[in-house]
Amino acid sequence: MKADSLRFEAYKYLRNALANGKLKAGSRVSTQSLANDIGISRTPVAEALLILEHEGYLERFPRSASVVRQPDAWEISELYELRVALESYAAEQAAQKATPREVATLKSCLGKMKECLLWLRDGGHECLDAEMLRYYLAADAAFHMLIVSVGGNSRITRTIEDAHVFTKIFCFPRDRDDHHLFENIFHSYKEHARIYRALKRRDSAESRESMAAHILASKESSMNFVQKYYAHKRQGGGIDSYDMTFKES
């Protein structure tokens, strides 16, 4: 396999690890361990790490391994503002441009989110377990990125994809699954359903407004978590020693 292909394989693996919570904010990143996990040599992994450092996902300290960056509260707020501007525009465009097949795919994503609700309600579960949480997040991400991609602007698509990864690195406490309770999932599902119905009706204005309202609700919830985290950190507490209930999308 060519060096460029190996570097891209390593880069894609690392991006996925950041997006799905395998690599959390503050995590040390070992070139050798990653090379072993992927099954390639250290060189393409090291090159991929340099790209991610340049993109702002990682930082390197002298004589130390790379570490996943922990965005500050202001940076997270800016990322959500960026998402509101671009994703609401993307939703407006999708209402005009989405094909029947793409609308059907959005409905399928929404159906997968509903499966998680039914699993909670009918199974008597208090929260999503790790497997169902991954299932929900995959459907959520697919819903958003399909809407963005329908507009056909690759630069906007990449910018939003980056914003999603950055917000999820820190705003999503993946070592705690109990924040995804039924009430949080239900509210998030209703917000996605509202967006879907507006897109299906080809209502550009409602699509834009629904998407903006959804992301603003996610921002408020995430910023509440961030403020709690930093306040607790100043007091010397750890991230797992207090309740972090919030919804994320």
Side-chain angles (χ1 to χ4, degrees):
M1 190 179 294
K2 294 183 178 180
D4 287 348
S5 297
L6 289 173
R7 181 170 60 247
F8 178 73
E9 181 182 353
Y11 175 82
K12 185 169 64 173
Y13 178 92
L14 287 161
R15 285 267 302 192
N16 288 338
L18 290 167
N20 65 27
K22 185 175 181 180
L23 291 176
K24 308 175 185 67
S27 299
R28 292 170 59 86
V29 182
S30 166
T31 304
Q32 186 60 62
S33 294
L34 287 168
N36 293 340
D37 290 343
I38 303 171
I40 59 178
S41 68
R42 289 167 50 93
T43 299
V45 173
E47 292 171 348
L49 289 174
L50 286 174
I51 295 172
L52 289 164
E53 288 174 23
H54 177 73
E55 292 177 345
Y57 293 106
L58 307 175
E59 56 187 342
R60 184 184 294 274
F61 299 97
R63 296 182 297 278
S64 178
S66 297
V67 176
V68 180
R69 279 190 60 237
Q70 182 170 284
D72 60 29
W74 180 255
E75 186 176 3
I76 293 167
S77 178
E78 286 187 331
L79 288 168
Y80 273 105
E81 290 174 8
L82 177 69
R83 285 186 57 192
V84 169
L86 294 182
E87 288 194 55
S88 58
Y89 170 77
E92 181 180 47
Q93 293 294 302
Q96 302 169 21
K97 299 179 179 180
T99 65
R101 183 174 181 177
E102 288 166 337
V103 173
T105 302
L106 287 175
K107 184 178 181 180
S108 175
C109 293
L110 197 61
K112 291 177 181 178
M113 296 180 202
K114 188 174 182 179
E115 286 178 35
C116 295
L117 275 173
L118 297 176
W119 184 87
L120 285 167
R121 187 194 68 184
D122 299 342
H125 305 286
E126 293 184 358
C127 62
L128 295 178
D129 63 15
E131 181 179 355
M132 290 302 291
L133 183 57
R134 286 192 295 269
Y135 186 73
Y136 175 82
L137 287 173
D140 185 336
F143 184 94
H144 280 267
M145 294 314 301
L146 176 58
I147 289 173
V148 173
S149 66
V150 166
N153 188 314
S154 60
R155 190 173 295 274
I156 289 179
T157 299
R158 178 54 189 261
T159 300
I160 294 176
E161 186 179 60
D162 287 344
H164 274 265
V165 175
F166 266 115
T167 53
K168 287 183 177 180
I169 287 172
F170 183 59
C171 290
F172 196 78
R174 294 177 186 277
D175 36 8
R176 288 283 300 275
D177 295 335
D178 58 347
H179 67 286
H180 263 303
L181 305 176
F182 179 86
E183 182 180 359
N184 291 341
I185 292 290
F186 181 61
H187 284 301
S188 181
Y189 171 78
K190 287 198 301 182
E191 290 167 1
H192 285 87
R194 181 184 173 194
I195 296 166
Y196 165 74
R197 289 194 296 269
L199 284 167
K200 186 178 180 181
R201 294 196 307 270
R202 304 292 180 182
D203 188 331
S204 298
E206 177 63 20
S207 297
R208 185 185 188 103
E209 292 171 9
S210 298
M211 181 63 80
H214 168 54
I215 298 173
L216 285 171
S218 294
K219 177 186 175 182
E220 180 181 6
S221 182
S222 295
M223 293 310 296
N224 286 339
F225 162 72
V226 170
Q227 290 166 8
K228 285 175 64 178
Y229 169 72
Y230 280 116
H232 198 71
K233 187 177 180 182
R234 285 193 295 271
Q235 297 170 8
I239 195 168
D240 289 324
S241 60
Y242 63 99
D243 176 40
M244 298 182 290
T245 300
F246 80 107
K247 64 180 180 178
E248 161 67 24
S249 180

